[in-house]
Amino acid sequence: MAQLYFYYSAMNAGKSTTLLQSAYNYRERGMQVEIFTARLDDRYGIGKVSSRIGLQAEAHLYSPETNLLDLLGNIQKTDSHPGIDCILIDEAQFLTKEQVKQITHIVDEFDIPVLAYGLRTDFQGETFQGSHYLLAWADKLVELKTVCHCGRKANFVVRRDSSGHPIRDGEQVQVGGNDSYESMCRKHFRELIW
């Protein structure tokens, strides 16, 4: 029986690397894997999932308007493989509530496992919509860990301006990497943001 997995963490915990390793493992066994990533994050190319250690793979793009059930149906119509064995979703924090419902439908009705990878919280310590519903509805929750500069587990992300000062307000979504964000433990996040 298929399940919905949510692999979550702060930035720089290896979510994309873990996703790409999972894709490799399925494909090595002759299984069909489809990878999805958010259209808004094109730092490493359009339609690609890339890890900081240099691994990458082609991916289908989704935006808030994308119906994942329709997209899956279109992929199955054009694919020569008899069926999809697993769906991997990068940047899952950007999914909408409706899209998380759609992936639960894929798991429950089509018996296809879905492995979603994303941030748990934004730079203000608030959950993203996708993360909120994945935390509530996933069958399995798996925390990927990274460390704060102090050595404690980092489970928050601080957004910084071009001068390195912490930002406390602004739009929830601003695509960026190590130049804009830093993962921190709650203590250091609290000292800067709360």
Side-chain angles (χ1 to χ4, degrees):
M1 182 172 188
Q3 294 189 322
L4 171 57
Y5 297 82
F6 182 38
Y7 295 84
Y8 65 91
S9 70
M11 289 184 66
N12 298 328
K15 293 178 297 297
S16 296
T17 303
T18 304
L19 178 151
L20 293 167
Q21 181 65 51
S22 294
Y24 178 84
N25 291 345
Y26 273 94
R27 290 177 176 149
E28 185 178 43
R29 289 160 182 79
M31 296 177 162
Q32 179 70 23
V33 174
E34 298 297 335
I35 301 173
F36 296 83
T37 192
R39 180 176 299 279
L40 65 92
D41 187 357
D42 60 2
R43 290 174 291 163
Y44 305 106
I46 297 171
K48 292 192 184 304
V49 171
S50 296
S51 70
R52 291 183 331 278
I53 63 171
L55 303 173
Q56 68 177 5
E58 297 294 321
H60 303 281
L61 296 173
Y62 68 86
S63 64
E65 297 78 31
T66 303
N67 182 312
L68 296 174
L69 290 169
D70 290 345
L71 184 56
L72 180 65
N74 291 337
I75 292 166
Q76 288 181 311
K77 288 178 191 170
T78 61
D79 199 333
S80 60
H81 195 278
I84 296 171
D85 295 299
C86 185
I87 294 172
L88 305 169
I89 302 175
D90 197 36
E91 304 292 354
Q93 71 270 12
F94 298 134
L95 293 168
T96 65
K97 178 180 181 180
E98 185 58 33
Q99 289 169 327
V100 177
K101 283 183 181 179
Q102 291 165 6
I103 62 176
T104 64
H105 184 82
I106 290 167
V107 170
D108 297 340
E109 301 304 320
F110 299 112
D111 201 32
I112 300 172
V114 176
L115 286 63
Y117 299 79
L119 297 172
R120 182 177 71 166
T121 59
D122 65 13
F123 74 106
Q124 294 175 314
E126 301 292 333
T127 55
F128 289 90
Q129 185 174 130
S131 302
H132 178 86
Y133 290 102
L134 285 164
L135 287 165
W137 298 340
D139 298 299
K140 302 278 186 191
L141 300 173
V142 181
E143 183 179 21
L144 301 175
K145 296 178 179 75
T146 190
V147 294
C148 179
H149 58 82
C150 71
R152 289 186 179 113
K153 179 179 85 167
N155 48 4
F156 289 89
V157 178
V158 172
R159 183 186 292 169
R160 295 190 180 274
D161 65 20
S162 59
S163 300
H165 299 102
I167 298 173
R168 292 176 183 83
D169 297 307
E171 294 294 319
Q172 184 179 46
V173 177
Q174 179 183 313
V175 176
N178 292 347
D179 57 327
S180 303
Y181 293 96
E182 182 181 355
S183 295
M184 292 187 181
C185 66
R186 184 180 57 230
K187 176 183 177 188
H188 288 106
F189 175 84
R190 195 182 73 240
E191 289 172 357
L192 291 174
I193 303 302
W194 292 344

